[in-house]
Amino acid sequence: MVLTIIGHPVSTCTRRVKTALYEKGVEFNLQVIDWPGGEHRTEAHLQKQPFGQVPVLIEEDGFILYESRAISRYIAAKYANQGTKLLPDPSDLKAVALFEQAASVELADFDPPASGLAYEKIIKPRTGLTTDEKRVQTLNETLKSKLDGYERILSKHKYLAGEELTLVDLFHLPYAATTELLAPELYESHPKVHAWYKELKERPSWKKANEGL
Amino acid sequence: MVLTIIGHPISTCTRRVKTVLIEKGVDYKLQTIDWANGEHKSEAHLQKQPFGQVPVLIDEDGFTLFESRAITRYIAAKYANQGTKLLPDPSDLKAVALLEQAASIEQADFDPYASGIAYEKVFYPRRGIPTDEKRLQQHIDTLNAKLDGYERILSKQKYLAGDELTVVDLWHLPYAEMSEKFAPQVWESHPKVNAWYKALKERPSWIKANEG
């Protein structure tokens, strides 16, 4: 059996994983979860992913892994010798530390306000809920102040963990894209961030991950 | 120079780092940041930590690192051969993957809600911002739902990445403690999670990290 990803073409986290798989040139089968039918809340799915989420990786030997960033890291490590180099040399403790610093910044400083904005302005209307405009304003302010930090970082080196592209830069793409849609002025006011994002979004892997959407 | 942590004794993230330093038996010096006078927003600090936060590690050779989870990973890797084993064998790809799965869960599924409770009940009021009761309840409800997932995991294995303790279990301590104080029912209604937390908080490293 080929490597399987249980997910959904539209899902941000599924597209995060697809991007990494394409960068590494790894074949996979996308098994589309029946979201409207509540498949993610079935016991069968909860046995694989206890939080009722996607994506989930099922390896060729049956190994199960969830969390898009963990899946992407595993793919990048397992296929270290093919495709784009996406991780630092594991024996370089400082390069690994700077990678982990960037990875933590993505999850702690970028993802919450950026995904929060996407939730308020895209998901809520789609599901019949009302956007909380006060929350949108708070999220916008938080994201703006976090991008000030990113601007400092990207004024010192080309990518977030140093001069080389890593997985962490790619982790940002799904919510960097929604930010472009929802708050483009934030990019205009952060030119280094903007240039970094514009280059990333041209990567063939990201374009392929978004095909059909 | 000895390894320095720029932080603050009460800071949750500083205590996260102190816990791991103590587990690994690594000497360090805590340089207390002057919050009250805005040192964290000074250009000197922003040069080290561009988001104006603590903690920051300055290693013996001047290497600078921020983000408590990155600092603890670095300490655990650099001192792999002393103190408590806190990381899987790096050549075991699946064990590493399961650590990364647990690490991602902590930051994506636990921290926002557990720290959210702490913000509404402690940090915002301390800054003169009143508790948003509606938001607080949302955090409590979401944390409760997420702990259902944790209960499933901890019914199958002893710790979050498998049967051995890792850094990821320890990362939970600061906001587990704060959320348990303000929403104990959420913890009590998840017995395996509660037992896991109660055992962790008895670790001498956590007790020592909270001294003073």
Side-chain angles (χ1 to χ4, degrees):
Chain A
M1 60 184 270
V2 83
L3 180 162
T4 299
I5 300 293
I6 302 174
H8 199 286
V10 143
S11 143
T12 44
C13 299
T14 302
R15 285 182 283 135
R16 184 180 281 129
V17 169
K18 284 172 77 177
T19 304
L21 287 161
Y22 290 134
E23 287 284 348
K24 300 306 275 178
V26 175
E27 301 268 319
F28 65 97
N29 164 42
L30 178 69
Q31 186 182 308
V32 181
I33 196 155
D34 180 9
W35 207 257
E39 188 189 341
H40 53 300
R41 278 179 267 133
T42 60
E43 186 57 34
H45 188 77
L46 288 167
Q47 285 286 336
K48 300 182 189 95
Q49 214 291 6
F51 301 91
Q53 301 163 326
V54 290
V56 181
L57 163 84
I58 319 252
E59 256 285 39
E60 292 164 277
D61 64 0
F63 176 60
I64 297 176
L65 192 66
Y66 56 90
E67 290 294 308
S68 63
R69 295 166 184 84
I71 296 169
S72 307
R73 283 170 176 260
Y74 173 69
I75 296 295
K78 188 180 175 192
Y79 298 97
N81 297 325
Q82 70 181 58
T84 315
K85 181 175 187 281
L86 291 177
L87 293 173
D89 173 4
S91 64
D92 185 343
L93 282 194
K94 286 175 176 166
V96 169
L98 294 173
F99 173 86
E100 294 301 347
Q101 176 181 276
S104 186
V105 164
E106 188 265 324
L107 256 180
D109 290 320
F110 180 78
D111 189 84
S115 71
L117 264 176
Y119 177 69
E120 286 296 333
K121 303 216 61 166
I122 300 174
I123 307 283
K124 270 179 140 175
R126 202 183 274 170
T127 54
L129 296 167
T130 315
T131 301
D132 179 345
E133 291 298 343
K134 191 157 157 258
R135 182 121 186 85
V136 166
Q137 199 183 322
T138 307
L139 289 167
N140 246 296
E141 284 161 11
T142 305
L143 186 53
K144 179 172 185 294
S145 102
K146 296 304 183 182
L147 292 185
D148 289 349
Y150 272 74
E151 192 72 9
R152 276 183 180 266
I153 293 169
L154 294 166
S155 300
K156 290 189 187 171
H157 38 77
K158 195 171 180 205
Y159 296 102
L160 291 172
E163 291 300 333
E164 288 184 25
L165 177 81
T166 66
L167 212 48
V168 176
D169 301 287
L170 301 179
F171 283 168
H172 289 74
L173 274 163
Y175 291 117
T178 54
T179 300
E180 186 183 24
L181 206 61
L182 301 172
E185 69 283 359
L186 291 181
Y187 284 121
E188 283 148 31
S189 56
H190 295 86
K192 294 274 195 249
V193 178
H194 200 189
W196 161 85
Y197 166 63
K198 271 168 53 174
E199 189 203 272
L200 282 176
K201 76 175 203 173
E202 293 307 316
R203 293 188 78 84
S205 59
W206 176 242
K207 290 183 179 222
K208 195 154 196 255
N210 285 284
E211 255 166 23
L213 295 177
Chain B
M1 59 184 273
V2 80
L3 182 160
T4 301
I5 301 293
I6 303 173
H8 199 288
I10 63 170
S11 144
T12 44
C13 300
T14 300
R15 284 182 286 132
R16 185 180 280 133
V17 169
K18 283 173 76 178
T19 304
V20 171
L21 285 162
I22 297 164
E23 287 281 349
K24 298 306 275 179
V26 175
D27 278 331
Y28 67 96
K29 167 178 162 252
L30 179 67
Q31 186 181 307
T32 302
I33 196 150
D34 187 358
W35 276 125
N37 285 313
E39 188 191 343
H40 53 301
K41 296 209 192 296
S42 66
E43 184 56 34
H45 189 76
L46 289 168
Q47 284 288 334
K48 300 182 189 95
Q49 215 290 6
F51 301 93
Q53 300 162 327
V54 292
V56 180
L57 164 85
I58 319 260
D59 207 350
E60 296 161 282
D61 62 359
F63 175 60
T64 303
L65 191 66
F66 58 90
E67 289 296 306
S68 62
R69 294 167 184 86
I71 295 170
T72 54
R73 282 173 178 265
Y74 173 68
I75 298 295
K78 187 179 175 192
Y79 298 97
N81 296 326
Q82 69 182 59
T84 314
K85 182 173 186 281
L86 290 177
L87 292 173
D89 172 5
S91 64
D92 185 343
L93 282 194
K94 285 175 176 167
V96 169
L98 294 172
L99 177 95
E100 296 303 345
Q101 177 180 274
S104 186
I105 291 165
E106 188 269 326
Q107 263 194 297
D109 289 320
F110 180 79
D111 187 85
Y113 316 106
S115 74
I117 294 168
Y119 270 90
E120 291 299 338
K121 294 293 294 190
V122 178
F123 303 137
Y124 289 149
R126 204 180 269 167
R127 296 180 209 170
I129 303 167
T131 302
D132 180 334
E133 295 293 342
K134 191 158 157 253
R135 211 148 159 66
L136 171 66
Q137 194 57 51
Q138 279 169 354
H139 289 316
I140 292 173
D141 292 341
T142 308
L143 182 62
N144 195 35
K146 294 300 184 183
L147 291 188
D148 289 350
Y150 272 73
E151 192 73 9
R152 276 182 181 267
I153 294 168
L154 293 166
S155 301
K156 289 184 190 175
Q157 59 204 43
K158 196 169 176 205
Y159 295 102
L160 290 172
D163 284 319
E164 287 184 24
L165 178 80
T166 65
V167 268
V168 176
D169 301 285
L170 299 178
W171 288 350
H172 288 74
L173 276 162
Y175 290 118
E177 186 183 70
M178 293 186 81
S179 62
E180 200 249 345
K181 186 174 170 196
F182 297 108
Q185 71 287 4
V186 157
W187 290 86
E188 283 152 23
S189 59
H190 295 92
K192 294 274 198 254
V193 181
N194 208 18
W196 160 84
Y197 162 61
K198 293 272 153 74
L200 281 176
K201 75 174 208 175
E202 293 308 314
R203 292 187 77 84
S205 59
W206 176 244
I207 294 171
K208 193 151 198 266
N210 286 286
E211 260 164 20

